[in-house]
Amino acid sequence: MVQKYQSPVRVYKHPFELVMTAYERRFPTCHLIPMFVASDIVNEETSEDGSTQKIERRCALDVDAPRLLKRIAGVDYVYFIQKNTLNRKERTLHIESHNETFSNRVVVHETCCYSVHPENEDWTCFEQTASLDIKSFFGFESTVEKIAMKQYASSIKKGKEIIEYYLKELDDEGITHMPRWSPSSHSLPLSSPTSLSTNQPELGIVPADSLDADYIKRYLGDLTPLQESCLIRLRKWLQETHKGKIPKDEHILRFLRARDFNMDKAREILCQSLTWRKQHQVDYLLETWSSPQVLQDYYTGGWHHHDKDGRPLYILRLGQMDTKGLVRALGEESLLRHVLSINEEGLRRCEENTKVFGRPISCWTCLVDLEGLNMRHLWRPGVKALLRIIEVVEANYPETLGRLLILRAPRVFPVLWTLVSPFIDENTRKKFLIYAGNDYQGAGGLVDYIDKEIIPDFLGGECMCEVPEGGLVPKSMYRTAEEVENEDIRLWTEMIYQSASIFKGAPHEIVIEIIDASSVITWDFDMCKGDIVFNIYHSKRAPQVPRKDTLGAHGITSPGGNNVQLIDKSWTLGQDYSMVESPLTCKEGESVQGSHITRWPGFYILQWKFHNMAACSATNLPRVDDVLATLQVSSHKCKVMYYTEVLGSEDFRLVHHPFITTHFSLLSSFSFPSLQSST
């Protein structure tokens, strides 16, 4: 694989001619580069007017490699050919070099360019590109590649320092200015040393497709030369190939960090994210998204000042949040969109704090208060929605979380952590700090990361926090799946909850095929309207294609296709299918959770059936109400929202609530300090 390097634009705040004078002092040897042993001029040409000079050198390098490798290779020094073309008229120096030693096994190619700053003629820019292609090297290809990249990164880092060193040496000698070339000046001696004083802005402007090294340090932080190269190359690739809005440098850098600066992997996930952002108009989310009132009242999260490092601080009182109520009242789409708006706001605040504090701030700190966390937070559809949100955020906002402070973690927390942690990137998990009880109040706690003056009042501080206190979302605010599906922008292609209508004589049925016996079918449903009877049946036969044409014997068309009947009228209970659970009567407004451990493979049918009044079964004669009901089916409609999932028996034992309740004493054996990690 060919390794490539692209430098940022390095700016010397000195004229081109003075920089060239400093550059020439590097030859024939340079004590600042110990590996640069010697250089000999093998060819030199100068144009008649003296404007152009070409010098070819043969340079010897004492590469820092294991002695065994040098003995196998049979060399002490590695030789390079360097060709310099100095154009005094255009004020440019082009450098091209390649390896002479092992050129049939290893190909190293480097180009450099010194040129005048496009916005300031008294400044000089430097850019550098290189490539390394190791074809074969006695079976040590990987080792040679690592050595070469290490040596090259070291020499790049010293490059600017060396020029600055010789510029200072010139200044100490009183040489602060060198004359520019002119047609009549090439035969004249150098002018006498003069003083040069200019008042220039701190940061220069470079071409739009380039990055200034000073800009990188000021706004992106300290990067190694190879990290700078990855950023510049990926940015350039996006400019050349991506149709649409190019992300900011800070955001590109986050994707590179998330993949340890592996350019191919970072490019893949970044392109996927850019497609996702365009498809769902995420760039306009802050302008178009308005939080529903239920979120303003019951979503227990909000921004709160900043931490000691200047990172924006987000507080989430998860223990006080009614996760089920929010999912049911909003739907997963709106909840996800709200979380995305929080992340978009976080990016905006990072940019703002970078300007305020004068240093790069690319991530935020999140404080999660778990006081009040209990079994209702382990509601499986809610946990599943949480995992899906984490998946979207991890894929599109990598390296935005600088630190996560989890406070007042109860005994049930390890179970939630077991469910959630596999979906969180390893680099992100290392940023978690978890405190049980009141441990956050002591040394090494909250005061180490947040100024005492802004610790929220509910954590014992003196600062008033405007984060809502939460509470249970009223069931009157719950919405049906049909209402939720009317969202304009779809961020998910499927919903956790499904909705169905049940009519008298027309139950709603779903089929679940079980391959492995001892699997566990779990369900969670809410009665939105009317009373029903819930049944579970097993059959060895696969049900026929669902009938959607009529509602039972009434011959009334099913509205919306959300009523499905699977059990054929010709089937006989006890022969074609059997009941595996006792019927369960469910009243309007009730929430029902349950599970069934399967005994046989085959087809399991879950049925929600209209509940007849007790009086109906007490006599063979129909009541007047029943006769009217057959004529007005639509007025006797039940509505249910349901969620089902099939688990393996081992997974079920881990997360099912009765297990957690029965074995709660096991949770106390979890050691919270073992979950802590430093940033």
Side-chain angles (χ1 to χ4, degrees):
M1 180 179 177
V2 178
Q3 295 285 353
K4 295 183 178 180
Y5 171 79
Q6 170 70 60
S7 77
V9 178
R10 306 192 185 278
V11 179
Y12 299 98
K13 297 174 184 178
H14 300 277
F16 175 81
E17 290 73 22
L18 193 64
V19 172
M20 290 299 97
T21 304
Y23 173 78
E24 286 299 324
R25 294 201 172 194
R26 296 178 51 174
F27 301 101
T29 60
C30 178
H31 70 279
L32 297 174
I33 312 178
M35 65 179 292
F36 188 55
V37 179
S39 64
D40 299 313
I41 296 177
V42 295
N43 187 34
E44 183 174 5
E45 298 177 9
T46 303
S47 63
E48 291 184 5
D49 62 359
S51 63
T52 304
Q53 182 183 36
K54 295 181 179 179
I55 298 178
E56 182 176 338
R57 292 184 175 92
R58 187 170 187 260
C59 306
L61 303 181
D62 184 9
V63 178
D64 183 15
R67 181 173 297 180
L68 176 61
L69 186 60
K70 286 187 175 182
R71 290 184 63 183
I72 293 174
V75 298
D76 292 321
Y77 301 129
V78 175
Y79 289 92
F80 276 77
I81 301 299
Q82 183 192 74
K83 297 179 180 180
N84 291 4
T85 302
L86 174 63
N87 190 322
R88 297 186 176 93
K89 182 178 180 180
E90 300 293 335
R91 304 179 76 194
T92 61
L93 172 64
H94 291 281
I95 305 169
E96 184 178 345
S97 62
H98 63 272
N99 62 306
E100 182 183 73
T101 309
F102 301 120
S103 58
N104 60 331
R105 295 179 177 273
V106 179
V107 179
V108 179
H109 185 261
E110 178 187 56
T111 60
C112 306
C113 179
Y114 287 89
S115 60
V116 177
H117 194 287
E119 299 294 330
N120 189 328
E121 63 178 15
D122 289 325
W123 286 1
T124 305
C125 295
F126 172 76
E127 289 185 89
Q128 182 177 15
T129 62
S131 63
L132 169 68
D133 184 10
I134 301 178
K135 301 181 182 298
S136 65
F137 204 85
F138 312 106
F140 291 92
E141 291 80 10
S142 178
T143 302
V144 171
E145 180 178 305
K146 290 178 181 178
I147 292 173
M149 296 305 292
K150 181 181 178 181
Q151 294 277 340
Y152 195 69
S154 177
S155 65
I156 292 168
K157 189 174 181 180
K158 289 183 178 180
K160 186 175 181 180
E161 298 175 3
I162 292 169
I163 296 296
E164 295 285 3
Y165 172 84
Y166 287 118
L167 284 169
K168 185 178 183 303
E169 187 177 81
L170 289 170
D171 185 68
D172 292 341
E173 296 173 7
I175 303 174
T176 57
H177 175 72
M178 298 297 293
R180 293 186 188 180
W181 178 90
S182 65
S184 60
S185 67
H186 66 277
S187 61
L188 298 176
L190 295 177
S191 61
S192 58
T194 59
S195 174
L196 178 64
S197 176
T198 58
N199 294 319
Q200 301 292 353
E202 190 61 28
L203 290 178
I205 300 173
V206 298
D209 60 347
S210 302
L211 282 181
D212 187 340
D214 292 336
Y215 161 83
I216 291 177
K217 186 173 183 179
R218 167 64 178 81
Y219 291 101
L220 305 179
D222 291 322
L223 303 178
T224 68
L226 296 181
Q227 289 173 346
E228 289 178 339
S229 172
C230 288
L231 172 62
I232 293 164
R233 288 163 55 207
L234 182 52
R235 184 177 184 266
K236 184 177 180 181
W237 181 85
L238 287 170
Q239 290 171 334
E240 293 174 349
T241 62
H242 184 67
K243 296 180 180 179
K245 186 178 180 180
I246 302 297
K248 296 181 179 179
D249 298 324
E250 304 93 299
H251 205 53
I252 298 175
L253 188 57
R254 291 186 181 101
F255 283 87
L256 284 166
R257 283 178 170 144
R259 292 297 179 266
D260 295 323
F261 287 87
N262 182 309
M263 250 203 55
D264 292 334
K265 292 181 179 179
R267 178 169 51 198
E268 180 181 355
I269 61 173
L270 177 56
C271 288
Q272 292 172 355
S273 179
L274 292 177
T275 301
W276 172 83
R277 292 182 71 89
K278 182 178 180 180
Q279 180 182 356
H280 301 296
Q281 304 174 33
V282 179
D283 288 332
Y284 308 102
L285 193 60
L286 290 180
E287 303 169 13
T288 58
W289 168 250
S290 178
S291 298
Q293 191 61 44
V294 65
L295 276 175
Q296 298 177 31
D297 295 338
Y298 295 99
Y299 190 86
T300 55
W303 294 100
H304 181 78
H305 301 284
H306 56 80
D307 68 5
K308 288 187 174 182
D309 295 322
R311 296 167 174 164
L313 176 63
Y314 190 84
I315 293 179
L316 181 64
R317 302 184 69 178
L318 185 60
Q320 305 299 315
M321 187 181 296
D322 179 10
T323 52
K324 178 177 181 178
L326 288 173
V327 172
R328 295 299 312 278
L330 292 167
E332 303 133 68
E333 292 287 338
S334 292
L335 195 57
L336 172 61
R337 206 173 308 167
H338 182 64
V339 173
L340 295 182
S341 72
I342 293 171
N343 282 269
E344 290 294 309
E345 174 65 16
L347 296 178
R348 189 193 67 78
R349 287 175 177 258
C350 285
E351 289 183 32
E352 191 175 273
N353 285 17
T354 295
K355 297 175 183 177
V356 171
F357 292 99
R359 61 177 182 273
I361 295 173
S362 61
C363 54
W364 52 83
T365 292
C366 186
L367 186 155
V368 180
D369 180 22
L370 295 183
E371 185 182 51
L373 189 76
N374 54 39
M375 293 302 165
R376 65 185 172 89
H377 291 93
L378 296 181
W379 172 65
R380 278 198 64 81
V383 172
K384 189 170 184 178
L386 173 63
L387 296 180
R388 295 174 77 182
I389 289 173
I390 290 174
E391 184 178 9
V392 173
V393 172
E394 280 283 307
N396 298 284
Y397 300 91
E399 296 297 314
T400 53
L401 182 65
R403 183 181 294 118
L404 180 66
L405 302 170
I406 299 178
L407 309 184
R408 301 198 280 196
R411 291 188 300 167
V412 72
F413 172 73
V415 179
L416 182 61
W417 176 255
T418 301
L419 293 171
V420 173
S421 60
F423 294 85
I424 302 174
D425 181 78
E426 183 180 354
N427 290 334
T428 303
R429 291 202 301 269
K430 293 177 181 178
K431 302 170 185 177
F432 285 32
L433 288 167
I434 304 171
Y435 300 90
N438 294 322
D439 292 348
Y440 69 93
Q441 295 179 342
L446 207 54
V447 292
D448 283 14
Y449 307 102
I450 301 174
D451 289 328
K452 185 177 180 181
E453 294 76 17
I454 64 169
I455 293 178
D457 52 345
F458 63 86
L459 292 175
E462 301 177 357
C463 186
M464 293 298 295
C465 184
E466 298 181 359
V467 174
E469 294 184 359
L472 294 177
V473 178
K475 286 192 175 182
S476 60
M477 303 183 76
Y478 286 10
R479 296 195 296 168
T480 64
E482 294 100 318
E483 294 171 329
V484 171
E485 287 173 359
N486 289 329
E487 299 287 348
D488 292 333
I489 300 176
R490 301 286 296 166
L491 295 169
W492 280 323
T493 56
E494 59 184 62
M495 301 297 294
I496 288 181
Y497 271 90
Q498 304 296 322
S499 63
S501 297
I502 298 100
F503 302 88
K504 190 172 184 179
H508 178 68
E509 297 162 346
I510 63 172
V511 63
I512 298 174
E513 184 178 5
I514 297 297
I515 305 298
D516 299 322
S518 299
S519 297
V520 182
I521 302 173
T522 66
W523 58 82
D524 180 285
F525 62 86
D526 288 275
M527 293 308 306
C528 302
K529 179 181 179 181
D531 303 340
I532 61 100
V533 176
F534 179 64
N535 294 301
I536 305 179
Y537 302 100
H538 172 263
S539 175
K540 296 180 180 178
R541 298 169 54 185
Q544 297 298 315
V545 178
R547 301 200 317 272
K548 298 182 180 180
D549 54 338
T550 60
L551 290 178
H554 303 295
I556 299 176
T557 302
S558 171
N562 57 348
N563 177 275
V564 178
Q565 297 155 58
L566 299 170
I567 299 177
D568 194 275
K569 291 288 186 181
S570 63
W571 283 15
T572 302
L573 184 63
Q575 295 181 7
D576 300 291
Y577 67 109
S578 58
M579 184 177 290
V580 295
E581 292 277 1
S582 299
L584 177 66
T585 302
C586 308
K587 301 293 184 180
E588 181 175 324
E590 288 184 347
S591 297
V592 181
Q593 297 87 34
S595 60
H596 173 77
I597 301 176
T598 62
R599 296 178 59 187
W600 316 279
F603 301 90
Y604 287 79
I605 301 171
L606 277 59
Q607 180 192 74
W608 291 267
K609 185 177 181 180
F610 190 91
H611 177 55
N612 291 308
M613 302 298 292
C616 297
S617 60
T619 175
N620 292 328
L621 297 176
R623 298 182 305 159
V624 174
D625 290 344
D626 295 328
V627 175
L628 294 175
T630 63
L631 300 176
Q632 296 179 325
V633 177
S634 61
S635 64
H636 287 259
K637 179 174 69 173
C638 299
K639 295 201 73 172
V640 63
M641 288 188 69
Y642 64 90
Y643 160 83
T644 63
E645 185 176 2
V646 178
L647 300 174
S649 57
E650 294 299 323
D651 296 332
F652 179 75
R653 292 192 188 100
L654 173 64
V655 303
H656 193 47
H657 296 183
F659 173 85
I660 298 172
T661 305
T662 305
H663 300 81
F664 205 88
S665 60
L666 293 177
L667 301 181
S668 61
S669 65
F670 280 82
S671 175
F672 286 101
S674 68
L675 291 175
Q676 293 191 22
S677 64
S678 60
T679 57

